Amino acid sequence: MDIFDHLKAAAQTDWDSYVEHEFVRRMGDGTLPEAAFRTYLVQDYLFLIQFARAYALAAYKSRTIADIRAAQVGLSSILDETDLHVRLCGRWGLSPETLEAAPERQATVAYTRFVLDCGAAGDLLDLHIALSPCVIGYAEIGRKLAPDGIDALGDHPYREWIGEYACDGYQDVAAAARQHLDDLAARVMTDQRFAELAALFSKASRLEADFWQMGLDG
Amino acid sequence: MDIFDHLKAAAQTDWDSYVEHEFVRRMGDGTLPEAAFRTYLVQDYLFLIQFARAYALAAYKSRTIADIRAAQVGLSSILDETDLHVRLCGRWGLSPETLEAAPERQATVAYTRFVLDCGAAGDLLDLHIALSPCVIGYAEIGRKLAPDGIDALGDHPYREWIGEYACDGYQDVAAAARQHLDDLAARVMTDQRFAELAALFSKASRLEADFWQMGLDG
Amino acid sequence: MDIFDHLKAAAQTDWDSYVEHEFVRRMGDGTLPEAAFRTYLVQDYLFLIQFARAYALAAYKSRTIADIRAAQVGLSSILDETDLHVRLCGRWGLSPETLEAAPERQATVAYTRFVLDCGAAGDLLDLHIALSPCVIGYAEIGRKLAPDGIDALGDHPYREWIGEYACDGYQDVAAAARQHLDDLAARVMTDQRFAELAALFSKASRLEADFWQMGLDG
Amino acid sequence: MDIFDHLKAAAQTDWDSYVEHEFVRRMGDGTLPEAAFRTYLVQDYLFLIQFARAYALAAYKSRTIADIRAAQVGLSSILDETDLHVRLCGRWGLSPETLEAAPERQATVAYTRFVLDCGAAGDLLDLHIALSPCVIGYAEIGRKLAPDGIDALGDHPYREWIGEYACDGYQDVAAAARQHLDDLAARVMTDQRFAELAALFSKASRLEADFWQMGLDG
């Protein structure tokens, strides 16, 4: 068990409320209303902007050139993901102008600013644990929604989204993020901190579940 | 018209959704369910902790001893208000242990971390405008709910809360905060920034309205 | 041995270069030129302003009301110390206007901004260790310069300064700061971090030695 | 006159002490001792690490995807410049291990942490003005030391360094940075702030002059 497994075990109920949320289940069986998915997509775009800031914060808080470089790669790939996102949104009839003009919903503000504040008030481990339900959780959800591989999804209405997170590329990103958590934990984790970090992880998982709910409430 | 009046005028709909929220109206006419008020009180305690951090952030971002001192006075009075809050909660049957153990709701996380992030990413004016719906808005609400003075409230069920914000002491705090906004604006406001700051103020007002709604949803 | 003793042992050379600096020795034997002391006093005033910001940063980075309160007490007592400082400067012919108008020297900028950056990039332990050569070191220097007590100093030219740091009140402040370092270390210290923190402590001690040298260079 | 010209005019003495420093003059006429240049090169490497953090801070403090992207490009090019720097150092007999192990000098700490603190405490304009003596000043120095172009430098001992900053590529970077300052100023500058920002610019210029002096003192 790595540190991420320990965090999930300590936060089982909140973690499950996130990865097994009705939004996820209905995306999986294809019954999720399009309006819910579009609401989610728009907010996820706004989410990515704050997420990019979180990686910039990680670079700012780094002490070595190696850590700065790692965070810069993360920042750079989120900016690339934003471009992909704009294209994906386009296929669902959402123009870049619509995205930019959309007001952030409460759920988007809550999770993103919580992550940024964990990072500003704490250290790199706090920041990366606050980010992990998103970075690593999406890989778990992607794999779960494509149990027989992406090709087996056929003309699934959410094939493109599922494929993005089920694909080997993203699974590797998530595996690297798990390894990074373990490396950071080896440097700074203590027994006393584990309880605090597990509470932080629970809260981040609940805020992610709220984010799905916001999509569902459309 | 001072800067606060200009912000309200630019954000009328969102401002009204906050100061005229059903929670406020029903607190005023005494029909607000106790459960809703208790939910609100607990979250407001957690809110004050983050609010104290926001004043600490203002002190950290200050350049002169005068600005540090002003922020320190703010921080200190919030810590005092927290003590009052613990006593008020006690009268509603909420022990300090209950307060400390309560999980933060989404609405609490959203508004508090939004304020802190406005301050971390922006300057002192951003921070104080993000705080203003709370600091100054509560004075407006207090006065509105006690139009004939605190004594005229008789045995109103929410007399104590209304009295806290309608009283001269708090009205002076809010007047000083308005003056401080004007002073800051005189130093750093530009026409181009006004639009950004009005958007920030609108968002903060909506997040405050969501905070009342969270209480109402109990 | 507490954590502060361990840090001193790991950074012996740099620590000694600070607490046994010629400035300190000559203040002790009364041969320090007045011009050097005045240069130091002015810069120390500018130093205290940044130091107040560092305690505000500690309050901002705190997660519990107890930690916020502790940092607020620190901030408040530095602001009080600043008033004392203004009076002390007055006796050496330095008006408040002179203090405010004085440009910060390189040594002042280097140590104060280093401390603030340690706090912004790291956690509370980083911040308090960066502050400790000042907070705790001044108590050690005070005691060393008044080995037979403050009364035995007679009409020593630097009696007032020495007395401020040799007195029981300040010795208690320093003892509390040592205890606080131990409490923080119990929560977040690891073997791997000790080496990093000892390096940080060495650097802070060197920057303090540079601060004395700046005074001496007048 | 753009904003950078206005800042230089307001800070003429400090600016001149930087761009006309003896280190610069002697690099130009080739009489700068190699030891001084090597001392400078090592510290400049450590400087770049903090400089990369400053661009990460700019990305973190950004509100729009466009501003994040601009800061990310800056961060990325500094990381590339660091690689170039390692190669340049190699030619002067300085291994990467030597660079990593070198302790930061007071002058390096002072300027870099001052810049980072300006950014943390202020807004993007504060941050970019604190960076500008370096980003834009090096272009001015490069051009001044190669008045007849890089080819005319022949076998000048510091040809490689001068060429790096005199070349069109770097001149364009500096021109873009000047334009960026003007864009930021158009959004947030006021008359009252100009005086503060000119003081900040003066201080940053003095700290840059101290950085040259540190090299010269070797």
Side-chain angles (χ1 to χ4, degrees):
Chain A
M1 278 175 77
D2 62 7
I3 179 73
F4 190 72
D5 281 325
H6 283 289
L7 290 166
K8 283 201 297 182
Q12 197 70 55
T13 310
D14 290 319
W15 179 255
D16 290 348
S17 76
Y18 161 48
V19 293
E20 295 173 7
H21 192 276
E22 187 186 346
F23 186 101
V24 175
R25 196 174 43 69
R26 296 184 66 183
M27 185 155 54
D29 66 21
T31 65
L32 183 74
E34 272 192 37
F37 188 67
R38 269 203 297 266
T39 298
Y40 158 79
L41 267 193
V42 170
Q43 293 299 313
D44 201 43
Y45 174 77
L46 301 176
F47 179 100
L48 280 176
I49 295 175
Q50 303 305 321
F51 208 58
R53 291 182 56 219
Y55 274 86
L57 179 58
Y60 163 58
K61 290 181 80 86
S62 296
R63 299 247 170 76
T64 64
I65 193 98
D67 281 353
I68 297 171
R69 227 179 265 278
Q72 192 273 333
V73 168
L75 167 55
S76 177
S77 61
I78 287 164
L79 292 174
D80 291 347
E81 193 180 338
T82 310
D83 293 336
L84 279 172
H85 215 82
V86 170
R87 283 201 288 277
L88 182 60
C89 286
R91 270 173 244 146
W92 290 84
L94 299 158
S95 70
E97 290 72 31
T98 307
L99 294 177
E100 296 287 350
E104 272 189 302
R105 298 278 182 95
Q106 184 184 190
T108 315
V109 174
Y111 182 42
T112 56
R113 301 318 193 278
F114 174 74
V115 167
L116 286 161
D117 184 55
C118 283
D123 66 4
L124 281 180
L125 183 59
D126 290 291
L127 177 55
H128 283 288
I129 285 181
L131 286 166
S132 68
C134 177
V135 181
I136 307 177
Y138 267 44
E140 191 165 320
I141 289 167
R143 219 172 40 226
K144 189 192 184 98
L145 299 190
D148 306 311
I150 299 165
D151 291 344
L153 290 171
D155 57 353
H156 191 293
Y158 300 112
R159 179 196 168 106
E160 193 159 6
W161 189 94
I162 297 169
E164 192 170 331
Y165 298 106
C167 75
D168 290 349
Y170 193 79
Q171 295 293 320
D172 291 348
V173 166
R178 286 181 85 130
Q179 183 58 52
H180 190 213
L181 277 190
D182 273 8
D183 295 344
L184 282 172
R187 269 150 66 179
V188 301
M189 182 71 93
T190 61
D191 287 349
Q192 267 208 278
R193 274 197 85 188
F194 182 78
E196 287 170 24
L197 291 167
L200 185 163
F201 182 78
S202 279
K203 197 162 181 172
S205 300
R206 281 198 304 276
L207 293 167
E208 278 277 28
D210 290 341
F211 195 77
W212 293 135
Q213 189 61 44
M214 171 271 295
L216 214 53
D217 294 342
Chain B
M1 278 176 78
D2 63 7
I3 178 75
F4 190 71
D5 281 324
H6 283 290
L7 290 166
K8 283 202 296 184
Q12 197 68 54
T13 310
D14 289 318
W15 179 256
D16 291 347
S17 75
Y18 160 48
V19 293
E20 295 173 7
H21 192 276
E22 187 187 345
F23 186 100
V24 175
R25 197 176 41 73
R26 295 185 64 184
M27 187 156 53
D29 66 21
T31 64
L32 183 75
E34 272 193 38
F37 188 68
R38 270 203 296 269
T39 298
Y40 158 78
L41 267 192
V42 171
Q43 293 299 312
D44 200 44
Y45 174 78
L46 301 175
F47 180 99
L48 280 177
I49 296 176
Q50 303 305 321
F51 208 57
R53 292 182 56 219
Y55 274 86
L57 178 59
Y60 163 59
K61 291 180 81 88
S62 296
R63 299 247 169 76
T64 65
I65 194 95
D67 281 352
I68 298 172
R69 227 177 266 278
Q72 193 273 334
V73 169
L75 168 55
S76 178
S77 60
I78 287 165
L79 292 174
D80 291 346
E81 192 179 338
T82 312
D83 292 336
L84 279 172
H85 215 83
V86 169
R87 283 202 287 278
L88 182 61
C89 286
R91 270 173 244 147
W92 290 85
L94 298 159
S95 70
E97 291 71 31
T98 307
L99 294 177
E100 296 287 349
E104 272 188 302
R105 298 278 182 93
Q106 186 185 189
T108 316
V109 174
Y111 182 42
T112 57
R113 300 318 192 278
F114 174 74
V115 167
L116 286 161
D117 184 54
C118 284
D123 66 5
L124 281 180
L125 183 60
D126 290 291
L127 178 55
H128 284 288
I129 286 181
L131 286 166
S132 67
C134 176
V135 180
I136 306 175
Y138 268 44
E140 190 165 322
I141 290 168
R143 219 172 39 225
K144 189 192 182 96
L145 299 190
D148 306 312
I150 299 166
D151 291 343
L153 290 171
D155 57 352
H156 190 292
Y158 300 113
R159 179 195 168 106
E160 193 159 6
W161 189 94
I162 297 169
E164 193 170 331
Y165 299 105
C167 74
D168 290 348
Y170 193 78
Q171 295 293 321
D172 290 348
V173 166
R178 286 181 85 131
Q179 183 58 52
H180 190 212
L181 277 190
D182 273 7
D183 294 344
L184 282 171
R187 269 150 69 180
V188 301
M189 182 70 93
T190 62
D191 288 347
Q192 267 209 277
R193 274 198 86 187
F194 183 78
E196 288 171 24
L197 290 167
L200 186 163
F201 182 79
S202 279
K203 198 163 180 171
S205 301
R206 281 197 305 276
L207 292 166
E208 278 279 28
D210 290 341
F211 196 76
W212 292 135
Q213 189 60 45
M214 172 271 297
L216 213 54
D217 294 342
Chain C
M1 278 176 78
D2 62 8
I3 178 74
F4 189 72
D5 281 325
H6 283 290
L7 290 166
K8 284 201 296 184
Q12 198 67 56
T13 311
D14 290 318
W15 180 256
D16 291 348
S17 76
Y18 160 48
V19 292
E20 296 172 9
H21 192 277
E22 187 186 347
F23 186 100
V24 175
R25 198 174 42 71
R26 296 184 64 184
M27 185 156 54
D29 66 20
T31 64
L32 183 74
E34 271 193 37
F37 188 68
R38 269 204 297 268
T39 298
Y40 158 79
L41 267 192
V42 170
Q43 292 300 312
D44 200 43
Y45 173 78
L46 301 175
F47 180 99
L48 280 176
I49 296 176
Q50 304 305 321
F51 207 57
R53 291 182 57 219
Y55 274 86
L57 179 58
Y60 163 58
K61 291 180 80 86
S62 296
R63 299 247 169 76
T64 65
I65 193 96
D67 281 353
I68 297 172
R69 228 179 266 278
Q72 192 273 333
V73 169
L75 167 56
S76 177
S77 60
I78 287 164
L79 292 174
D80 291 346
E81 194 179 338
T82 312
D83 292 336
L84 280 171
H85 215 83
V86 170
R87 283 201 288 278
L88 183 59
C89 286
R91 268 172 245 146
W92 290 84
L94 299 158
S95 70
E97 291 69 33
T98 308
L99 295 177
E100 297 288 349
E104 273 188 301
R105 298 279 181 93
Q106 185 184 190
T108 315
V109 174
Y111 182 43
T112 56
R113 300 319 193 278
F114 174 74
V115 167
L116 286 161
D117 184 55
C118 283
D123 65 6
L124 282 179
L125 184 58
D126 291 291
L127 177 55
H128 284 288
I129 286 181
L131 286 166
S132 67
C134 176
V135 181
I136 307 176
Y138 267 44
E140 191 165 322
I141 289 167
R143 220 172 37 227
K144 190 192 183 97
L145 299 191
D148 305 312
I150 299 165
D151 290 343
L153 290 171
D155 57 354
H156 191 293
Y158 300 113
R159 179 196 168 105
E160 192 160 6
W161 189 95
I162 297 170
E164 192 170 332
Y165 298 105
C167 74
D168 290 348
Y170 193 79
Q171 295 293 320
D172 291 347
V173 166
R178 285 181 85 131
Q179 183 57 51
H180 190 213
L181 276 190
D182 274 7
D183 295 344
L184 281 172
R187 269 150 67 179
V188 302
M189 182 71 94
T190 62
D191 287 348
Q192 267 209 277
R193 275 197 85 186
F194 182 79
E196 287 170 25
L197 291 167
L200 185 162
F201 182 79
S202 279
K203 197 163 182 172
S205 300
R206 281 198 304 277
L207 292 166
E208 277 278 28
D210 290 341
F211 196 77
W212 293 135
Q213 190 60 45
M214 172 271 296
L216 214 52
D217 295 342
Chain D
M1 276 176 79
D2 62 7
I3 178 74
F4 190 72
D5 281 325
H6 283 290
L7 289 167
K8 284 201 295 184
Q12 197 69 54
T13 311
D14 290 317
W15 179 255
D16 290 347
S17 75
Y18 160 49
V19 294
E20 295 173 8
H21 193 277
E22 187 186 348
F23 186 101
V24 175
R25 198 175 41 73
R26 295 184 64 185
M27 186 156 53
D29 67 20
T31 65
L32 183 74
E34 270 193 39
F37 188 67
R38 270 203 298 268
T39 298
Y40 158 79
L41 266 192
V42 170
Q43 293 299 313
D44 200 43
Y45 174 78
L46 301 175
F47 180 99
L48 280 176
I49 296 176
Q50 304 305 322
F51 207 59
R53 291 183 56 220
Y55 274 86
L57 179 58
Y60 162 59
K61 290 181 81 87
S62 296
R63 299 249 167 77
T64 64
I65 195 94
D67 281 353
I68 298 172
R69 226 178 267 279
Q72 192 273 334
V73 169
L75 167 56
S76 178
S77 62
I78 287 164
L79 292 173
D80 291 347
E81 192 180 338
T82 312
D83 292 336
L84 280 171
H85 215 83
V86 170
R87 283 202 288 278
L88 182 61
C89 286
R91 268 172 246 147
W92 290 85
L94 298 158
S95 70
E97 291 71 32
T98 308
L99 294 177
E100 296 286 349
E104 271 188 303
R105 298 280 181 92
Q106 185 185 189
T108 315
V109 174
Y111 182 42
T112 56
R113 300 319 193 276
F114 174 74
V115 167
L116 286 162
D117 184 54
C118 283
D123 66 5
L124 281 180
L125 183 60
D126 291 292
L127 177 55
H128 284 288
I129 285 181
L131 286 166
S132 67
C134 176
V135 180
I136 306 176
Y138 267 44
E140 190 164 324
I141 290 167
R143 219 171 39 226
K144 188 191 183 99
L145 299 190
D148 306 312
I150 300 164
D151 291 344
L153 290 171
D155 57 354
H156 191 293
Y158 300 113
R159 179 195 169 105
E160 193 159 6
W161 189 94
I162 297 169
E164 192 170 331
Y165 298 106
C167 75
D168 291 346
Y170 193 79
Q171 295 292 321
D172 290 347
V173 165
R178 286 181 85 129
Q179 182 58 52
H180 190 213
L181 277 190
D182 273 7
D183 294 344
L184 282 171
R187 270 151 65 180
V188 301
M189 182 71 94
T190 61
D191 288 348
Q192 267 210 276
R193 275 197 84 187
F194 183 80
E196 288 171 23
L197 290 167
L200 186 163
F201 182 79
S202 278
K203 197 163 182 172
S205 300
R206 282 197 303 276
L207 292 166
E208 277 279 27
D210 290 340
F211 196 77
W212 292 135
Q213 189 60 44
M214 172 270 298
L216 213 54
D217 295 341

